[in-house]
Structures are given as C-alpha cells and as structure tokens.
Amino acid sequence: MSDRGRGTKSELGVGEVARRSGVAVSTLHFYESKGLIRSWRSAGNQRRYARDVLRRIGIIRVAQRAGVPLTKIRESLDTLPDGRTPDREDWARLSACWRDDLDRRIGELVGLRDRLEGCIGCGCLSMKCCPLYNADDKAGEQGVGACYLEPR
Amino acid sequence: MSDRGRGTKSELGVGEVARRSGVAVSTLHFYESKGLIRSWRSAGNQRRYARDVLRRIGIIRVAQRAGVPLTKIRESLDTLPDGRTPDREDWARLSACWRDDLDRRIGELVGLRDRLEGCIGCGCLSMKCCPLYNADDKAGEQGVGACYLEPR
DNA sequence: TATTGACCTCAAGTTTGCTTGAGGTTTTAC
DNA sequence: GTAAAACCTCAAGCAAACTTGAGGTCAATA
C-alpha cells in the first residue's frame, strides 16, 4: 500500500503537492518552469519534491495575493543563499518588503475611494474643478487630462 | 488656422481626445470597439467625439483604477438610458457600486497585511499553526493546503 | 501644389498566469 | 497480469487590456 496522504514520506509526488498546496499540477509545472520551485526526478522520470516546497508555495501564494508578480517573487526567492526556502529571518525580510508594496497599494485604493466619496457628495461632475476627472480646457492646454486620479 | 488646443470646438478629433484624456489613440479605438465610447465620422471618415467623451473616459479610468474590469464598466455604462454620459445621480449610483468593490478589495488587502504582520512577529514559519500557510499533515489529510490565506 | 502629419482599417503581437490537449510512459491496484 | 490512475513533454489556447505594424487615405500648411 502506498503511503499517499499519510504524510510519512520525506519526498512528495506532484499530485500530493498539488493536493496539499491547493494548486493544480499544471501550475506546479508552470512554477517550476519559471524557477519558482524545484524538484528532482525519480527513476521513472517523475517529479519529487522536498516537503518544504509546500512552504515555498505558501509563500508564493501569499506574495501573489499581496499583488507581487511572479517575476518579483522569483527575484526575492533568488536572493536567498543556495535557493533555500526562507527561514524566519528571510521571511521577515521578504514579507516586510512585500508588505511595503501592499501598504502602497492599499494607500492608493483608499485615496481613490476617498476622492470617489468626495465626488459623490459634491456633485461636481460637471465642474471644472472636479478632482475625479478633468474634461475642461485647462487640461487641453496642459496637454494632459484626467490627471487628478492618475498622478505620476 | 486650426483651433486645435483652443477648446472652442464642440466636437473633437481622436488625437485631441487622446491628448486631453491622457490615453493613447489606439486605446480610444480599442474602447470604441468594446462599446465603451462612441463617435461619429467626418466626411473624410475620421472619428469625431462629443466633448463629454472626456468625462466618460475619466469615469472609465477611475473605475479601472478601482479594479473594475472593462466589461463591468461597460455594463454599468450600458444601464444608463440611451447610453448618455452619467449625470450626477447616475454617477452617484455607479461610483457607489464600484466603491463597494473597492471597499471589499481594500478589506482583503488589509486583512492580508495584518496576517503578514502577525507572522513576521510570531516567527511561526515552521509551526503547524501558521496562519499564513499550512504545510503540515493536517492539510494533507484535509486535502487542502495553504488555505488560511485563501479563504473561499 | 506638394509634403508632411494625422488619421483610417485590420491583423497580429505582447504580457501575465495559467489551463487544455495530444500522445506516450510509469505506477498502483486488484 | 492487466487495467486504471497518475505522471511525462511539448505545443497551443485563453483572458484582459492594449500596442504595433502594414498599407493606405485625409487634411493642414509652406
């Protein structure tokens, strides 16, 4: 009998990793092709993973949900010596960095929401000063438009 | 002499709309192909826009920044009678709806950030209880993994 | 008038993050 | 021993939101 699902093995097959991590097998292949995770092969050419690949995948998903693109995640993971899965300090560093990103994006959205609020209340839709968009001639003269909500 | 840039015309060419709205000409073509904006043609088959297209584009960009996909934006704009550019009440309704979305997404990101915070502090990277990911056998038994950060 | 710049259409390409499918091998289960 | 389930590779497809390019027309200006 196989010990699939018993968690006693020190190496995992792709199906088991998929099941435990919640990502599809095809996604694991894809991550591997992008250098985000690693595996070695069994005698029959099947992928084998160390258990800590689950941690790595967890980290990848967390970062993704925080809006970090895969290339950046890969870069971050690549900064770790010998490509190991992050220990506590590494994790603190990585997540702090991603959190800055997250903070920035939250800030942007909150700012946007507030301006949205303001404009709902003020009914300035047709005004020249509307902070949500600018359809007046000033914008034309400046050669820019709708710039208030799209700074930078 | 043309009156380009003077803002005296009641109809606008595609280049002028691009310049004033800050979006590329190709994007305007694209929006039109998706039914987000409209134009009529000059004798020489060139696009002509009513001035309020700038408002519409502003609204589109605002909604996009709030994370609303173009298809949804189109649907919202399509709910307006005769496809007019929203007046104050319409605007309030649309933006309130989009803001709900925005609120939800902000909430998600904030929750994620908080959990990230917690995990930086607790150093639980290797623990079975880590709320950021779950690489232990319980997850294996449950047939799910890394589920704490990916509810639903 | 002639030249440039703005505009036209339509098809195809780009990026990100995967999924699907075809065709074939390996492992497991009975 | 054999069938089914799991795995393999590689190519192509998908969705969103655009951009780029080719080949050709229109319009403003010197």
Side-chain angles (χ1 to χ4, degrees):
Chain A
M1 185 185 186
S2 136
D3 55 3
R4 282 279 169 84
R6 284 213 235 123
T8 54
K9 289 192 301 193
S10 64
E11 57 181 59
L12 306 169
V14 73
E16 193 155 12
V17 172
R19 199 159 38 75
R20 290 195 183 180
S21 67
V23 312
V25 170
S26 61
T27 305
L28 295 174
H29 287 9
F30 175 72
Y31 285 171
E32 192 171 324
S33 77
K34 295 290 175 187
L36 287 157
I37 57 175
R38 284 181 202 178
S39 66
W40 63 94
R41 301 305 176 101
S42 71
N45 195 37
Q46 297 197 350
R47 285 170 178 85
R48 291 296 175 259
Y49 299 91
R51 296 186 67 78
D52 75 0
V53 78
L54 295 171
R55 297 220 297 236
R56 235 177 137 85
I57 294 167
I59 288 166
I60 293 165
R61 304 304 276 193
V62 168
Q64 273 197 293
R65 290 199 64 201
V68 184
L70 289 184
T71 49
K72 294 247 176 162
I73 298 173
R74 193 209 153 143
E75 279 166 28
S76 296
L77 291 175
D78 281 353
T79 65
L80 302 174
D82 55 54
R84 70 172 187 279
T85 288
D87 63 18
R88 190 195 154 166
E89 262 180 51
D90 297 325
W91 168 241
R93 191 164 47 78
L94 295 182
S95 62
C97 161
W98 293 334
R99 196 201 44 208
D100 286 348
D101 236 60
L102 196 52
D103 279 340
R104 199 178 35 69
R105 299 199 313 117
I106 290 171
E108 265 182 29
L109 289 186
V110 168
L112 178 60
R113 180 184 57 188
D114 292 347
R115 275 167 295 184
L116 214 51
E117 291 287 358
C119 276
I120 292 169
C122 80
C124 64
L125 199 73
S126 58
M127 294 184 179
K128 299 253 183 294
C129 66
C130 180
L132 272 174
Y133 48 71
N134 188 337
D136 66 358
D137 290 328
K138 232 169 194 162
E141 281 157 20
Q142 291 166 353
V144 300
C147 57
Y148 294 96
L149 271 178
E150 301 183 271
R152 282 181 307 126
Chain B
M1 185 184 184
S2 138
D3 55 0
R4 281 277 168 87
R6 284 213 236 125
T8 55
K9 289 192 304 194
S10 63
E11 57 182 59
L12 306 170
V14 74
E16 192 154 15
V17 172
R19 198 159 36 77
R20 291 196 181 179
S21 67
V23 312
V25 170
S26 61
T27 305
L28 295 175
H29 286 8
F30 176 72
Y31 284 170
E32 192 171 324
S33 78
K34 295 290 175 184
L36 288 156
I37 58 175
R38 284 182 202 173
S39 66
W40 64 94
R41 300 305 175 101
S42 71
N45 196 37
Q46 297 197 348
R47 284 170 179 84
R48 291 297 176 259
Y49 298 92
R51 296 187 66 79
D52 75 0
V53 79
L54 295 171
R55 299 220 298 235
R56 234 176 138 87
I57 294 167
I59 287 166
I60 293 166
R61 303 304 274 192
V62 167
Q64 273 197 294
R65 289 199 65 202
V68 184
L70 290 183
T71 50
K72 294 247 177 159
I73 297 173
R74 194 210 152 142
E75 279 166 28
S76 295
L77 292 174
D78 280 353
T79 65
L80 302 174
D82 54 55
R84 70 172 186 278
T85 288
D87 64 18
R88 190 195 156 168
E89 262 180 51
D90 298 324
W91 167 242
R93 191 164 47 77
L94 295 183
S95 62
C97 161
W98 293 334
R99 197 200 45 207
D100 286 348
D101 237 59
L102 196 52
D103 279 340
R104 199 179 34 68
R105 298 199 315 117
I106 289 170
E108 266 182 28
L109 289 186
V110 167
L112 178 59
R113 180 182 58 187
D114 292 348
R115 276 166 295 183
L116 213 51
E117 290 286 357
C119 276
I120 292 169
C122 79
C124 65
L125 198 74
S126 58
M127 293 184 178
K128 299 253 184 296
C129 66
C130 179
L132 271 174
Y133 48 70
N134 187 338
D136 66 356
D137 290 328
K138 233 169 192 161
E141 282 158 18
Q142 292 167 353
V144 299
C147 57
Y148 294 95
L149 271 177
E150 301 183 272
R152 281 182 306 128

